[in-house]
């Protein structure tokens, strides 16, 4: 069994907001400190949801979250 502490490392998170045609509307990228990959993915999703709620053009629309982490989006 692998300890969760062995998976820790410097983490960065980011996301892309696209409209219904796939055009980029906004992006974000920030440092997330020292995290494991699952925690970093979860923080990225939460950050994207928070940012989308602050944008007037996204706050009342359906949002699709895409991630390469099945642990976070399943």
């Amino acid at each position: 069994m692998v300890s969760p502490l062995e998976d820790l490392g410097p983490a960065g998170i980011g996301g892309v907001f696209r409209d219904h045609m796939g055009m980029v509307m906004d992006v974000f990228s920030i440092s997330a400190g020292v995290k494991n990959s699952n925690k970093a993915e979860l923080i990225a999703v939460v950050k994207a949801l928070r940012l989308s709620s602050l944008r007037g053009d996204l706050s009342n629309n359906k949002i699709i979250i895409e991630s390469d982490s099945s642990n976070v989006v399943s």
Side-chain angles (χ1 to χ4, degrees):
M1 182 172 191
V2 177
S3 165
L5 297 177
E6 292 178 28
D7 191 25
L8 293 177
I13 63 170
V16 178
F17 294 97
R18 297 182 185 271
D19 66 12
H20 66 284
M21 300 292 290
M23 299 297 296
V24 174
M25 298 171 61
D26 205 354
V27 298
F28 71 94
S29 176
I30 59 173
S31 172
V34 176
K35 305 277 185 279
N36 69 36
S37 58
N38 286 323
K39 181 79 171 193
E41 288 283 346
L42 182 58
I43 291 169
V45 169
V46 170
K47 181 71 170 176
L49 291 171
R50 286 184 177 153
L51 289 173
S52 68
S53 71
L54 297 174
R55 290 183 55 109
D57 55 344
L58 294 176
S59 61
N60 293 322
N61 292 313
K62 293 180 181 178
I63 296 174
I64 298 171
I65 301 289
E66 293 181 352
S67 172
D68 60 354
S69 173
S70 61
N71 291 332
V72 172
V73 296
S74 60

